[in-house]
Amino acid sequence: MPPLPLPVDDVLPQVIAAVNEHGACVLKAPTGAGKTTRVPPALLESAVAGQIVMLEPRRVAARAAARRIAAERGSALGREVGYQVRFDRKASDATRILVVTEGVLLRMLQDDPLLERVGAVVFDEFHERSLSADLALALTQRVRASVRADLRIVVMSATVDPSRVAAFLGGAPVIESKGRAFPVEIEHRPREGDSRLENDVLRAVREAAERAQGDILVFLPGVGEIKRCARVLQPVARSLDADVVELHGELPPEKQDAVVAESTRRRVILATNVAETSLTLPGVRAVVDAGLERVPRTDPSIGLPRLETVRISRESADQRAGRAGRLAAGLCLRLWSRSEDARLDARREPEVRRADLAGAVLQLRAWGEPEPADFPWFEAPRAAALEAAEALLLRLGALEEGRLTSTGRAMARVPVHPRLARLLLAARQVGHPRRLALAAAALSERSPFVRMDRRASAEQHGASDVLDAVEALEAYEATGRLDAGARRLRPGPARFALRARDQLARFAPKASTGVDADEAVLRAVLAAYPDRVARRRTPGGERAVMVGGRGVRLDGASSVREAELFVCAEVDGGRRGERSEAWVRTASAVERAWLPASAVRTTAAAGFDEAQQAVAGFRRTLYEDLVLEDVAVQLARGPEVETALAEAAAADLDAALALDDPAVAGLRMRVSCLRTWRPDGALPEVALPAMDDDVLRTLLPHLARGRRSFAELRKAPLLDHLRGLLRWDQLQRLDREAPEHIEVPSGSRVRLTYELGRPPVLAVRIQEVFGLRETPTVAGGRVKVLMHLLAPNGRPQQITDDMPSFWANTYAGVRAELRRRYPKHAWPEDPLNAKAQRRPGRRR
DNA sequence: GAGCACTGC
């Protein structure tokens, strides 16, 4: 069929010229310009050698693009033009244009790191800035810049600032094309004071219904808001003779399709961000935008993922408004004011800045990149996030001494998160590879369970939600019944999980022997989440403490009701800045005997006296938390009093540690102490305080002694000890500044202050220093401990290293004040009084 | 005291 002319056709000659001359170009063109269909064939005609690979962010988009291109070129799909997505490939050796999704492109890069069969890579919809697309672009550019000058790159984007990509591609030309869209009238309808969102939505929908014809699309942040709005909108919809329909990612595909299909009746469509990028709704003439979205974020300092509800960006707002102008002029009502509008961020923070980077770092290393921090990312991730990713990979056994292990290489091939890859590879130790593949699939994909009423689930008891899923899926496979297991399954996700199982099982190690089939699942889950073991606070209770001291609460639908120890597999870290309890959706029991032997020593067995316990107990990212007395885990609610204890450097450990600066000696002592306490010997990356420059200056000469270069310095065992304490910028400074050039004030003493989590609770801190009533002795030397009492504004109120006077004066005063302010809180027993009562006659 | 964005090998 003769292709219809599209706006982008006008600029294709420029694109080809740019690509031929510079090897790369950036094409900025709005949706509807036709870039997806027209650019790859143009490259083909321009005699690009090798395959032309185009990246699409979604499977449907990849399939549709390949189909359209093939049709326009009059060829059968899978011959000259093909596609490859997960579970589906229509391509052959003759395929010149191959449309792929992100995972496929990353896999191609792993199998063929220099992309030798590929002549050009086209990145479509690059403005979406997914982590995978960022990574793929950076890898491709690295290949082009180093060894493949002939490789062509075209980046296509609707909105992103093209100059940045152009610069990244070594000064590639930017070409812009017009699109086709109808004007959308945008008006602001700010939220009314304290009114509920659904009421503001209701008003706006009424207005939109009067002023515009066609369907009304309402953008809301999540399912909860959608349900509440649906309830409020029902009567209005009836009076308009319209239907209220919901649209979000948890909906089964049939229902999504029904919403996307044209309708004869007028509709009010309540949608999440699916409707912003993934799905196009034909009949929409008006948009009501609440201006909010939920974004996932993994905060490296917390180490848990969480969902945040945030204001959308300008880019999203424009994209959402544009949804009203696809077929005719439209209307958009924004539920925020003009002044708020002026303060919107230009664009959403790209995924590389917020996501868990473990998978990306593993891919990078498998691709051959020795140092992810040195990698030329399109946009650099946060240093702390990179460090957290490396720490996790180390913990999972993928890394050793900064290099990928054979386990790590095997993990990189498995198409799931590194944790789940590790789960699968645990089959080598515990057997049952196919079962573990199913467990990994269930954890990787959408939950196969029907969402359950809490009360209905209260009867369930089990060892593991993961095992429940595995058993239910196995029962479904065997009997075809969705309710054959402990909990009811949803057909779509259940079938998908089984299919993913088949794919994953190909990567599972063979195993002839193994432990019991159920135990295998539990142990493999522990292997995947070694850092998320939690201990229940009270028998049968919902609340627990995770290693590191974080409080968690089990979802009511979890069947893990009894186990004292369990792994928090799927967990939401809760709201930012608040030390609210994390919410565990998926848990799995653990037996104490499965923890590493070193983890279950008691403090006495480990040879620590009471004072040492207290010192090491400041930050417990240790399994030992779980078996020690539960002193550090009382969580009070609400107190905003900020209390922190600071640990000081050692006073006279010099000889013992063969370092003459007391500050360094003490620090090293403490770090070693923490290290011994960790079952894997690694430092808790996230929990330790960063070192300030004073400390750094004190340390540098020690580190540098006898060494001339940073390369030598890097090998210093002390630096290794301190790595977890140094901030990334400090490490880089070490790298930049030759250590011998740093001036060190002689005899300087340095104070270290702990940054404790918030809201720090005095009760907890006080309990942590029970052992510190007297100046403690460690490794034959006396350790001075500096105590800081901080006011709510963070300013130190009192500093002392005189332990007896702290306990006698400060502690008593603070304790009384807190009791007065928070009378309802169950404060711990006063250790001083308790002791005093037990030993009558002793005065304090 | 309840609470679950969207993809993807």
Side-chain angles (χ1 to χ4, degrees):
Chain A
M1 66 178 177
L4 293 167
L6 287 170
V8 80
D9 292 339
D10 300 338
V11 300
L12 287 177
Q14 284 170 261
V15 170
I16 296 309
V19 165
N20 284 338
E21 198 171 324
H22 299 272
C25 93
V26 181
L27 174 58
K28 182 175 173 179
T31 352
K35 54 192 188 310
T36 308
T37 14
R38 296 291 157 85
V39 168
L43 286 169
L44 190 64
E45 300 299 333
S46 78
V48 165
Q51 207 167 45
I52 294 156
V53 174
M54 178 162 70
L55 176 66
E56 288 293 327
R58 279 164 289 278
R59 294 203 283 254
V60 268
R63 277 192 283 255
R67 203 168 289 126
R68 274 202 314 275
I69 297 170
E72 291 199 354
R73 295 184 65 79
S75 69
L77 187 62
R79 309 285 300 220
E80 184 195 47
V81 183
Y83 67 84
Q84 184 176 348
V85 300
R86 191 180 188 188
F87 303 138
D88 190 8
R89 175 184 158 94
K90 279 215 167 36
S92 63
D93 287 346
T95 299
R96 298 287 320 280
I97 296 175
L98 182 67
V99 189
V100 300
T101 38
E102 292 167 347
V104 177
L105 180 55
L106 285 174
R107 177 49 39 84
M108 289 172 80
L109 277 156
Q110 294 296 354
D111 293 341
D112 176 14
L114 301 182
L115 293 175
E116 288 176 63
R117 300 188 51 216
V118 179
V121 185
V122 182
F123 295 85
D124 198 13
E125 313 279 6
F126 187 70
H127 56 269
E128 292 189 17
R129 293 293 311 279
S130 75
L131 177 53
S132 303
D134 266 26
L135 189 60
L137 177 69
L139 286 169
T140 311
Q141 168 63 11
R142 193 142 164 88
V143 170
R144 186 173 83 97
S146 52
V147 284
R148 285 281 319 274
D150 60 308
L151 186 64
R152 311 281 207 247
I153 298 180
V154 179
V155 175
M156 310 198 293
S157 165
T159 50
V160 92
D161 171 17
S163 59
R164 184 162 170 191
V165 189
F168 183 75
L169 294 174
V174 176
I175 294 149
E176 292 199 32
S177 163
K178 294 260 174 297
R180 279 189 315 203
F182 296 90
V184 174
E185 194 182 339
I186 295 174
E187 293 179 24
H188 291 266
R189 297 287 178 272
R191 301 274 308 276
E192 284 186 9
D194 49 2
S195 131
R196 299 182 67 90
L197 178 63
E198 47 268 37
N199 295 331
D200 296 311
V201 167
L202 175 67
R203 261 190 299 278
V205 167
R206 273 211 190 100
E207 180 183 346
E210 275 170 28
R211 293 177 52 188
Q213 302 183 319
D215 294 344
I216 300 165
L217 174 60
V218 184
F219 280 103
L220 295 165
V223 178
E225 290 83 354
I226 286 178
K227 300 274 182 215
R228 284 194 290 276
C229 284
R231 220 169 300 136
V232 174
L233 284 168
Q234 271 324 329
V236 189
R238 263 195 299 278
S239 69
L240 291 168
D241 197 27
D243 294 331
V244 174
V245 290
E246 302 178 10
L247 181 58
H248 51 84
E250 276 293 313
L251 236 45
E254 319 82 76
K255 290 203 175 165
Q256 288 187 0
D257 292 348
V259 181
V260 172
E262 301 257 11
S263 162
T264 49
R265 284 173 56 83
R266 193 175 193 193
R267 299 177 306 172
V268 179
I269 303 161
L270 307 179
T272 60
N273 258 346
V274 257
E276 190 181 308
T277 45
S278 303
L279 300 172
T280 302
L281 300 155
V284 172
R285 300 282 291 275
V287 163
V288 170
D289 187 355
L292 299 169
E293 64 180 344
R294 266 203 265 288
V295 242
R297 167 183 296 279
T298 292
D299 187 337
S301 72
I302 298 170
L304 297 178
R306 64 163 185 261
L307 273 176
E308 274 180 3
T309 307
V310 296
R311 270 207 181 290
I312 59 170
S313 66
R314 158 136 324 286
E315 216 168 81
S316 286
D318 292 344
Q319 175 78 8
R320 288 177 173 191
R323 296 276 143 170
R326 302 281 295 184
L327 299 174
L331 170 71
C332 173
L333 299 178
R334 292 178 165 170
L335 301 188
W336 61 90
S337 68
R338 282 188 189 284
S339 61
E340 286 170 304
D341 194 67
R343 292 196 300 271
L344 293 184
D345 291 335
R347 54 189 64 89
R348 179 182 302 139
E349 198 173 26
E351 198 182 357
V352 69
R353 302 285 294 170
R354 358 170 281 257
D356 170 11
L357 299 176
V361 167
L362 184 62
Q363 291 300 314
L364 260 185
R365 285 194 172 274
W367 186 74
E369 195 63 41
E371 191 49 72
D374 298 339
F375 179 73
W377 298 80
F378 174 63
E379 183 168 340
R382 293 178 205 282
L386 271 182
E387 290 168 29
E390 297 251 307
L392 177 60
L393 292 174
L394 190 73
R395 196 80 199 257
L396 295 175
L399 286 180
E400 218 172 84
E401 292 173 358
R403 305 182 55 149
L404 216 55
T405 59
S406 60
T407 304
R409 263 188 297 281
M411 281 165 64
R413 299 202 61 80
V414 189
V416 281
H417 188 278
R419 288 186 189 271
L420 301 180
R422 184 67 189 79
L423 191 160
L424 181 67
L425 295 180
R428 198 171 288 141
Q429 288 83 40
V430 300
H432 307 283
R434 202 165 160 76
R435 211 166 195 227
L436 297 194
L438 185 52
L443 282 166
S444 176
E445 308 302 334
R446 286 185 188 287
S447 165
F449 290 133
V450 171
R451 178 85 190 133
M452 217 185 341
D453 184 324
R454 282 160 192 277
R455 277 180 302 273
S457 67
E459 301 303 309
Q460 296 288 344
H461 284 250
S464 161
D465 298 317
V466 183
L467 188 56
D468 282 358
V470 166
E471 287 177 342
L473 287 164
E474 286 170 341
Y476 168 62
E477 190 176 34
T479 66
R481 283 180 44 211
L482 292 163
D483 55 359
R487 285 173 57 182
R488 195 180 171 77
L489 297 172
R490 303 188 293 164
R495 277 195 297 271
F496 197 88
L498 289 167
R499 201 170 175 194
R501 185 268 320 268
D502 293 340
Q503 183 192 31
L504 292 176
R506 294 204 297 271
F507 298 94
K510 302 249 182 310
S512 48
T513 59
V515 300
D516 165 83
D518 288 356
E519 185 180 326
V521 173
L522 305 190
R523 293 182 81 136
V525 172
L526 173 62
Y529 302 93
D531 50 338
R532 296 213 196 135
V533 177
R535 179 188 185 200
R536 211 181 287 274
R537 287 176 193 269
T538 53
E542 285 184 348
R543 301 173 69 218
V545 197
M546 207 158 65
V547 275
R550 182 67 191 264
V552 299
R553 186 185 286 269
L554 269 177
D555 189 295
S558 169
S559 68
V560 184
R561 295 297 165 118
E562 282 157 6
E564 184 203 2
L565 301 179
F566 57 84
V567 161
C568 308
E570 290 178 311
V571 52
D572 183 312
R575 274 166 288 180
R576 171 166 40 189
E578 286 182 41
R579 206 174 150 91
S580 60
E581 288 173 309
W583 174 46
V584 183
R585 284 200 301 279
T586 308
S588 185
V590 172
E591 284 182 22
R592 192 166 294 195
W594 300 343
L595 298 175
S598 62
V600 288
R601 289 178 307 181
T602 64
T603 35
F608 287 90
D609 65 21
E610 203 185 354
Q612 286 172 316
Q613 287 179 35
V615 171
F618 274 115
R619 276 305 188 185
R620 306 173 173 212
T621 42
L622 319 167
Y623 284 125
E624 276 93 332
D625 306 16
L626 305 171
V627 292
L628 293 175
E629 283 161 313
D630 216 352
V631 289
V633 297
Q634 290 259 2
L635 266 186
R637 293 202 154 257
E640 76 278 5
V641 176
E642 179 124 11
T643 312
L645 295 167
E647 181 197 353
D652 43 15
L653 281 173
D654 316 5
L657 292 153
L659 278 173
D660 52 12
D661 190 295
V664 179
L667 187 61
R668 180 176 171 183
M669 223 317 294
R670 194 180 64 70
V671 172
S672 307
C673 174
L674 276 179
R675 224 178 149 84
T676 338
W677 273 55
R678 282 184 55 110
D680 58 359
L683 281 172
E685 302 272 338
V686 292
L688 288 168
M691 283 199 284
D692 60 32
D693 285 358
D694 283 349
V695 182
L696 198 58
R697 269 197 296 278
T698 316
L699 285 170
L700 284 173
H702 293 291
L703 297 172
R705 183 181 304 149
R707 299 185 180 83
R708 268 162 312 195
S709 67
F710 186 72
E712 281 180 301
L713 181 62
R714 268 177 193 248
K715 294 189 202 122
L718 184 57
L719 183 61
D720 194 37
H721 276 284
L722 299 174
R723 208 165 269 283
L725 290 171
L726 289 168
R727 291 195 312 262
W728 194 252
D729 58 300
Q730 292 171 330
L731 273 178
Q732 286 187 323
R733 222 186 83 193
L734 272 176
D735 218 340
R736 265 202 320 276
E737 299 174 21
E740 52 269 22
H741 293 164
I742 292 181
E743 295 288 329
V744 183
S746 63
S748 57
R749 288 287 286 273
V750 180
R751 161 176 73 75
L752 293 177
T753 306
Y754 273 88
E755 287 177 36
L756 295 169
R758 283 200 292 176
V761 179
L762 186 68
V764 176
R765 307 303 164 219
I766 292 303
Q767 292 211 354
E768 283 178 346
V769 292
F770 275 0
L772 291 184
R773 282 192 293 279
E774 283 148 22
T775 309
T777 309
V778 175
R782 290 163 66 76
V783 182
K784 264 197 187 164
V785 176
L786 211 59
M787 319 278 289
H788 283 204
L789 199 60
L790 301 186
N793 63 7
R795 296 178 67 117
Q797 294 295 300
Q798 185 159 355
I799 302 173
T800 177
D801 57 3
D802 175 358
M803 305 301 297
S805 101
F806 173 84
W807 285 110
N809 307 319
T810 318
Y811 175 65
V814 169
R815 189 181 166 88
E817 172 64 13
L818 285 176
R819 277 185 175 284
R820 194 183 62 73
R821 276 206 219 179
Y822 306 102
K824 285 188 189 156
H825 177 64
W827 294 99
E829 191 190 11
D830 184 336
L832 297 181
N833 285 331
K835 278 229 163 147
Q837 279 156 20
R838 261 183 256 122
R839 286 197 234 157
R842 189 186 163 189
R843 280 192 55 119
R844 58 165 235 271

